[in-house]
Amino acid sequence: MNKKFWLYVFASIVFMAALPLYTVKIAAGGAGLIGFILLLLIVNPLYMVFLGFNCGKNIKQLWSIPLIASALFWIGAALFMEMSVDGCIIYFAIYILAAYISMVTSYFIFHKKSDSDTTVKVKPVKITAFIIIIAAFMAFIVIGITKID
């Protein structure tokens, strides 16, 4: 395993397990509720899109990182947030979907070959805009699903 693999695993532990623990157990009252909502609807989806996008650059070695991060979310949500199994499954599926969509997109962006067989680079503005659009789309899906319940 390379350094990036372990770096992403450590970052996933922080974002998907340690932040929920801090939010629920240490932050009290309304701050904990606001933090919980921010984690579910903004921080975790953005992290999964970022993670998938970066793992797409080296998809052969880092394909399992989104699964590990989503599993850590499931464990953190079950242990620290005391979420129901249905809620965990919904968010687990959305996070994996967001990560793998951005991973495949990143793979095609950075591995697309031109006629001269050189890697085509995309401007960072386009990448950032793409990540924001995917994150907003996933946030709308999450909000729509939570309103159904």
Side-chain angles (χ1 to χ4, degrees), residues 93-144:
I94 290 171
Y95 294 160
I96 283 184
L97 183 66
Y100 279 107
I101 287 173
S102 62
M103 182 185 286
V104 169
T105 305
S106 170
Y107 178 78
F108 285 120
I109 287 173
F110 289 106
H111 292 87
K112 182 179 178 183
K113 301 290 183 177
S114 65
D115 293 335
S116 63
D117 199 33
T118 59
T119 304
V120 176
K121 298 292 182 183
V122 178
K123 294 181 180 178
V125 174
K126 290 182 181 180
I127 294 169
T128 306
F130 173 75
I131 291 172
I132 290 171
I133 289 168
I134 292 293
F137 177 71
M138 297 310 293
F140 286 123
I141 290 174
V142 169
I143 291 169

Side-chain angles (χ1 to χ4, degrees), residues 11-53:
S12 296
I13 290 170
V14 169
F15 276 97
M16 298 302 204
L19 279 178
L21 173 65
Y22 172 77
T23 302
V24 174
K25 300 294 182 187
I26 297 174
L33 180 62
I34 290 171
F36 177 74
I37 291 170
L38 286 175
L39 273 176
L40 287 179
L41 300 179
I42 297 173
V43 175
N44 286 348
L46 282 176
Y47 173 70
M48 292 301 286
V49 168
F50 170 79
L51 185 70
F53 194 80

Side-chain angles (χ1 to χ4, degrees), residues 59-106:
I59 204 166
K60 291 180 181 178
Q61 292 181 351
L62 303 175
W63 65 269
S64 62
I65 296 293
L67 287 174
I68 293 169
S70 296
L72 286 168
F73 163 75
W74 194 325
I75 292 167
L79 293 177
F80 308 130
M81 297 183 202
E82 299 174 1
M83 284 181 66
S84 68
V85 174
D86 295 339
C88 286
I89 290 172
I90 291 170
Y91 287 108
F92 178 83
I94 290 171
Y95 294 160
I96 283 184
L97 183 66
Y100 279 107
I101 287 173
S102 62
M103 182 185 286
V104 169
T105 305
S106 170

